[in-house]
Amino acid sequence: MASKEKEEAPASAAAAEREEKARLALCAAGPHGAMELASVTIGEYSLELRDGDGYVGDNASRTAFRHMLDAWRTVYADMAGKDPLGDKPTREISKQRLDAMFEKDGSAARTIEAASEDYAQQFAHVVQQFLQHKTWKGVERVIVGGGFHQSEVGGRAIARASELLAAELKKKKKDPVELRLLHHHADEGGLIGWVHLAPPALLQSYDAILAVDIGGTNVRCGIVQTHLHSAPDMSRAEVLRREKWGHADDEPRRDELVEGIAGILEELVEHAQKRGLSLAPFVGVACPGLVCEDGSLAGGTQNLPGNWESIRFHLPRDLCERLPTIGGGRTQVCLHNDAVVQGLSELPFTQDVERWAVLTVGTGLGNASYTNRQPQRPRR
């Protein structure tokens, strides 16, 4: 009897290993990077348009604004003999601090205003360059996302860019294109967008889903309640709880970042259980880069720590390995581009146009374009 048990043990262990591998394959199966949804077709995203020796998007990123502000600080410092914004480097001045200085009359406000005007002109020019790309032909509205626009300085710069764009398109006798700010908070748009990518059957059966938005500076994780039965178009979807990790300050390695995300998600699962929320066994993960159907990444991840394009790294699988069981079933981890997901949060509010796009201002400039299958005009 003992010898038989010894013979069966290795076979049992092998079977358990096969079962675990099959579980992980299923939970990370996707579909990843879906481009055809029931109500919208996702066009190209993460376009890397060239502008001389660099990329068009680099001219309208948050980093670009900082460079412009640095330049104007130098100009005013040379004129007045001191830096109007003080001794702190631009990258260390918060959006709130810039807004406070902008509201006060003086050299600091004039410095920020000059940089904002430069940025607005550059942003309007960048939008025009995107509009010339074949995948942006016919775009009627461009949604501006990212955290920059949520400051007074950023919001005014985008509003000014809208004026400049309208004037330039009119001058060239081209159709008008509207610039509109994202409805949701920047920390939530990249989470809420997942309600349009999650399997419909799951949404019908559960109250909420888990979502992750990985950026070059921050990671945001949250519980998204769909409110599907009261608003089938998902216009009432909301983030019930979110956690934000400024991982750039901690400088984690790639695997440490994944481990940290898993830890945050585990806490969110516990929170949902305490609140009695029916949480779907699904995690939507948005990140920079080109997402392949198998869940691998094929470029555009240079702002993330480590090599995310390695053939030995598979974000959905590696995250799934670290996650607890949710709702008693296999947890499915799905991956898509962060700009695409943030743009999809706007889907209920773009039904009055056929072609639209998104630009997300962050560490870089994310971009994506969309075509609604059955636009319902008018809504403007």
Side-chain angles (χ1 to χ4, degrees), residues 187 191 211-222 242-248 252 257-258 260-262 264-265 285-286 304-305 308:
D187 287 342
L191 305 176
V212 180
D213 184 8
I214 304 173
T217 304
N218 301 296
V219 167
R220 304 160 184 87
C221 303
R242 62 177 162 87
E243 300 292 339
K244 185 174 179 179
W245 173 23
H247 67 83
L257 181 56
V258 176
I261 293 170
I264 296 172
L265 290 175
V285 181
L304 300 176
W308 291 59

Side-chain angles (χ1 to χ4, degrees), residues 310-326:
S310 168
I311 59 174
R312 294 185 294 275
F313 177 68
H314 189 270
L315 177 58
R317 182 196 63 231
D318 289 6
L319 183 58
C320 195
E321 289 176 346
R322 296 167 166 84
L323 291 177
T325 299
I326 302 173

Side-chain angles (χ1 to χ4, degrees), residues 269-345:
V269 171
E270 293 175 359
H271 177 78
Q273 291 173 343
K274 290 177 181 177
R275 288 195 55 175
L277 277 174
S278 176
L279 198 61
F282 175 90
V283 181
V285 181
C287 76
L290 298 171
V291 178
C292 302
E293 290 184 11
D294 65 357
S296 61
L297 292 163
T301 63
Q302 62 272 10
N303 291 323
L304 300 176
N307 183 5
W308 291 59
E309 298 159 32
S310 168
I311 59 174
R312 294 185 294 275
F313 177 68
H314 189 270
L315 177 58
R317 182 196 63 231
D318 289 6
L319 183 58
C320 195
E321 289 176 346
R322 296 167 166 84
L323 291 177
T325 299
I326 302 173
R330 293 189 179 94
T331 302
Q332 179 182 355
V333 178
C334 186
L335 185 65
H336 216 312
N337 173 266
D338 55 348
V340 168
V341 178
Q342 188 167 141
L344 286 174
S345 72

Side-chain angles (χ1 to χ4, degrees), residues 44 47 129-138 355:
E44 286 195 46
L47 291 175
Q129 289 176 287
F130 272 97
L131 290 171
Q132 292 173 12
H133 193 271
K134 62 182 180 180
T135 63
W136 278 51
K137 293 295 183 183
R355 299 274 289 118

Side-chain angles (χ1 to χ4, degrees), residues 100-374:
M101 288 189 286
F102 187 61
E103 291 174 0
K104 296 179 181 179
D105 188 27
S107 58
R110 290 191 292 274
T111 302
I112 297 168
E113 185 176 14
S116 296
E117 177 65 20
D118 281 356
Y119 181 83
Q121 292 184 18
Q122 193 60 54
F123 195 90
H125 180 64
V126 166
V127 172
Q128 290 181 74
Q129 289 176 287
F130 272 97
L131 290 171
Q132 292 173 12
H133 193 271
K134 62 182 180 180
T135 63
W136 278 51
K137 293 295 183 183
V139 164
E140 303 168 67
R141 180 178 300 153
V142 178
I143 308 299
V144 182
F148 179 69
H149 73 269
Q150 291 181 176
S151 66
E152 180 70 19
V153 172
R156 288 196 182 193
I158 299 303
R160 175 60 176 151
S162 181
E163 294 175 356
L164 294 169
L165 176 66
E168 190 63 25
L169 292 177
K170 184 177 181 180
K171 179 181 176 182
K172 294 179 179 179
K173 297 182 179 180
K174 294 186 177 181
D175 292 334
V177 176
E178 177 189 14
L179 285 187
R180 181 180 290 184
L181 299 181
L182 194 77
H183 274 75
H184 300 287
H185 190 283
D187 287 342
E188 299 185 351
L191 305 176
I192 291 175
W194 275 107
V195 301
H196 302 286
L197 287 162
L202 277 180
L203 300 182
Q204 291 284 350
S205 305
Y206 297 90
D207 298 329
I209 62 172
L210 290 174
V212 180
D213 184 8
I214 304 173
T217 304
N218 301 296
V219 167
R220 304 160 184 87
C221 303
I223 300 171
V224 182
Q225 187 165 12
T226 64
H227 295 295
L228 171 64
H229 300 295
S230 60
D233 65 351
M234 305 291 188
S235 59
R236 293 187 59 197
E238 64 175 332
V239 177
L240 294 182
R241 184 183 177 91
R242 62 177 162 87
E243 300 292 339
K244 185 174 179 179
W245 173 23
H247 67 83
D249 295 332
D250 297 335
E251 299 182 347
R253 294 192 297 270
R254 182 193 66 194
D255 293 346
E256 291 173 337
L257 181 56
V258 176
E259 188 72 39
I261 293 170
I264 296 172
L265 290 175
E266 187 169 357
E267 293 175 1
L268 291 174
V269 171
E270 293 175 359
H271 177 78
Q273 291 173 343
K274 290 177 181 177
R275 288 195 55 175
L277 277 174
S278 176
L279 198 61
F282 175 90
V283 181
V285 181
C287 76
L290 298 171
V291 178
C292 302
E293 290 184 11
D294 65 357
S296 61
L297 292 163
T301 63
Q302 62 272 10
N303 291 323
L304 300 176
N307 183 5
W308 291 59
E309 298 159 32
S310 168
I311 59 174
R312 294 185 294 275
F313 177 68
H314 189 270
L315 177 58
R317 182 196 63 231
D318 289 6
L319 183 58
C320 195
E321 289 176 346
R322 296 167 166 84
L323 291 177
T325 299
I326 302 173
R330 293 189 179 94
T331 302
Q332 179 182 355
V333 178
C334 186
L335 185 65
H336 216 312
N337 173 266
D338 55 348
V340 168
V341 178
Q342 188 167 141
L344 286 174
S345 72
E346 199 73 10
L347 187 58
F349 314 108
T350 60
Q351 294 307 298
D352 57 326
V353 296
E354 181 179 359
R355 299 274 289 118
W356 54 287
V358 64
L359 291 174
T360 59
V361 182
T363 308
L365 186 75
N367 62 84
S369 59
Y370 310 82
T371 302
N372 289 334
R373 292 183 179 275
Q374 293 180 334

